[in-house]
Amino acid sequence: MSVSEFSLIEKYFHQQDISRKDVVLGIGDDCALLDIPAGQQLAVTVDTLVEGVHFLTDSSPSDLGWKAIAVSLSDLAAIGAEPAWLSLALTILKSESSWLESFSVGLFECADYYGLQLIGGDTSRGPLSVTVQAMGLVPPGAALQRSSAKPGDLICVTGHLGDAGMGLEIATGRREVQQVAQKDYLLKRFNRPVPRVSAGIAMRHIASAAIDLSDGLAGDLPHILTASGVGATINLDKLPLSTALVAQCNSEDAIHYAITSGDDYELCFTVAEEKLDTLTKALKSSGNDYTVIGRITGGSCLRYTQHDKVYDKDFTGYTHFKH
Ligand code: ADP
Ligand code: MG
């Protein structure tokens, strides 16, 4: 069954469980109107997911709905913002009700969980792509930025790295996993990333810089280094690797996944050593774990060490445009 544009918006995108008081005018008019609470700055981010580039052609629509929201929430997390509103630009080849139903269920599952209200968007016909603009709130001076890491700061990451890269291998059939619980865990890490929203908020005024890991540590950490004018040393022995990842490959491959594969949506952040206790308490009480994996240095090089020696290979993260 196919549905017209207006009934499509009404049917699949107008109903949401949460309804924020600061939304003066939501879906249905030419623009949305929002009350920005006094004493807060607006944090805005936009991300596009294109079929065949950012998600597999046979992805489940509900996973796609979840992930489209989660990746934008991960950007809000990285700056320490609290999620508030979102708009959605959806391009679809045909308006198929079963696809739209499943997509909107996944989308609202994630949006409702994080208190993000859908306030508008755009719907057009064409090759499948999903663009989400997420908006959040952060008090002036509290946003975590990429540009303020200092030599001597510790480099940390939340959670485990490399799981989503292995999940992609499983989803594309390049790797078979016998153990069902491990297979489900790794696929979930790829299909339904959990943005570290509470970690970002908890590390306001504690972390010196932060970024979310969408393109792998080797791709994303250099953004902090360049913006801050510093270098770094990463200790490969310290990388947080899940039992499920380690069970699928040798340790060198596991390290490779952890450093180079995208889609983990963990946070990488830096912190002055004297603030480590405060950080530990703040992250623990917000239900997040973290691992120290290296240190910011002077200069501009990113070095890796293993077993107390300089690691002689280089890593590259995911990039859309190779030159
Ligand atoms: P206009 O042509 O004035 O931009 P549209 O016909 O594109 O209006 O959209 C009508 C209303 O539906 C607007 O309020 C718009 O924000 C909203 N809308 C359109 N597509 C979506 C979508 N995919 N999700 C949520 N809201 C949408
Ligand atoms: Mg429009």
Side-chain angles (χ1 to χ4, degrees):
M1 193 188 91
S2 90
V3 276
S4 76
E5 184 184 334
F6 291 102
S7 57
L8 178 160
I9 296 162
E10 186 57 35
K11 184 155 188 227
Y12 299 106
F13 299 113
H14 209 163
Q15 318 296 334
Q16 188 174 3
D17 287 349
I18 62 157
S19 155
R20 296 176 59 99
K21 286 196 194 70
D22 47 23
V23 178
V24 183
L25 188 59
I27 293 176
D29 215 310
D30 290 315
C31 291
L33 285 177
L34 308 167
D35 271 337
I36 299 180
Q40 299 277 354
Q41 287 179 336
L42 180 63
V44 184
T45 176
V46 65
D47 269 294
T48 295
L49 301 185
V50 176
E51 181 172 26
V53 178
H54 302 94
F55 61 93
L56 303 170
T57 302
D58 59 358
S59 291
S60 119
S62 73
D63 286 345
L64 176 60
W66 172 284
K67 195 162 176 173
I69 304 299
V71 303
S72 287
L73 278 168
S74 180
D75 282 326
L76 291 184
I79 208 156
E82 191 184 319
W85 312 293
L86 88 100
S87 55
L88 166 71
L90 182 63
T91 306
I92 43 178
L93 269 177
K94 54 181 192 294
S95 56
E96 199 183 303
S97 46
S98 60
W99 191 94
L100 285 161
E101 172 69 33
S102 167
F103 174 78
S104 65
V105 165
L107 181 127
F108 285 126
E109 230 179 302
C110 190
D112 286 351
Y113 184 81
Y114 290 97
L116 203 56
Q117 184 173 338
L118 180 62
I119 50 136
D122 196 30
T123 308
S124 44
R125 188 182 295 273
L128 181 58
S129 91
V130 186
T131 297
V132 169
Q133 183 182 49
M135 288 154 274
L137 298 167
V138 60
L144 306 162
Q145 297 179 32
R146 297 178 178 185
S147 53
S148 32
K150 301 271 178 313
D153 286 355
L154 298 170
I155 301 171
C156 314
V157 289
T158 57
H160 293 109
L161 302 183
D163 291 341
M166 182 58 80
L168 171 63
E169 296 286 289
I170 300 167
T172 50
R174 289 196 288 262
R175 192 176 290 259
E176 298 245 329
V177 175
Q178 302 307 330
Q179 232 258 14
V180 178
Q182 289 183 348
K183 179 179 173 182
D184 290 351
Y185 164 83
L186 292 165
L187 279 172
K188 197 165 179 198
R189 291 275 288 155
F190 172 66
N191 289 322
R192 294 216 166 205
V194 176
R196 291 281 181 176
V197 171
S198 59
I201 293 170
M203 63 177 86
R204 287 175 182 171
H205 304 295
I206 304 171
S208 51
I211 191 167
D212 69 316
L213 296 176
S214 52
D215 296 330
L217 191 75
D220 291 318
L221 176 59
H223 296 310
I224 288 188
L225 305 185
T226 306
S228 300
V230 292
T233 303
I234 297 294
N235 184 346
L236 298 177
D237 302 317
K238 301 278 189 212
L239 294 177
L241 307 173
S242 70
T243 318
L245 174 64
V246 170
Q248 312 313 320
C249 53
N250 63 37
S251 65
E252 196 178 340
D253 284 349
I255 286 171
H256 212 264
Y257 279 109
I259 298 267
T260 65
S261 63
D263 275 339
D264 277 327
Y265 298 102
E266 296 294 346
L267 296 183
C268 172
F269 57 96
T270 59
V271 62
E273 198 156 4
E274 63 270 20
K275 291 194 176 171
L276 205 57
D277 285 347
T278 317
L279 176 82
T280 304
K281 284 193 198 103
L283 284 186
K284 200 170 172 201
S285 60
S286 65
N288 293 282
D289 54 343
Y290 79 97
T291 309
V292 177
I293 59 165
R295 201 181 275 276
I296 295 291
T297 60
S300 58
C301 287
L302 171 55
R303 285 192 196 84
Y304 299 94
T305 61
Q306 191 178 33
H307 312 316
D308 296 325
K309 291 198 209 77
V310 174
Y311 190 76
D312 53 5
K313 286 184 216 139
D314 202 9
F315 298 101
T316 43
Y318 182 81
T319 168
H320 283 283
F321 301 101
K322 291 202 172 75
H323 22 234

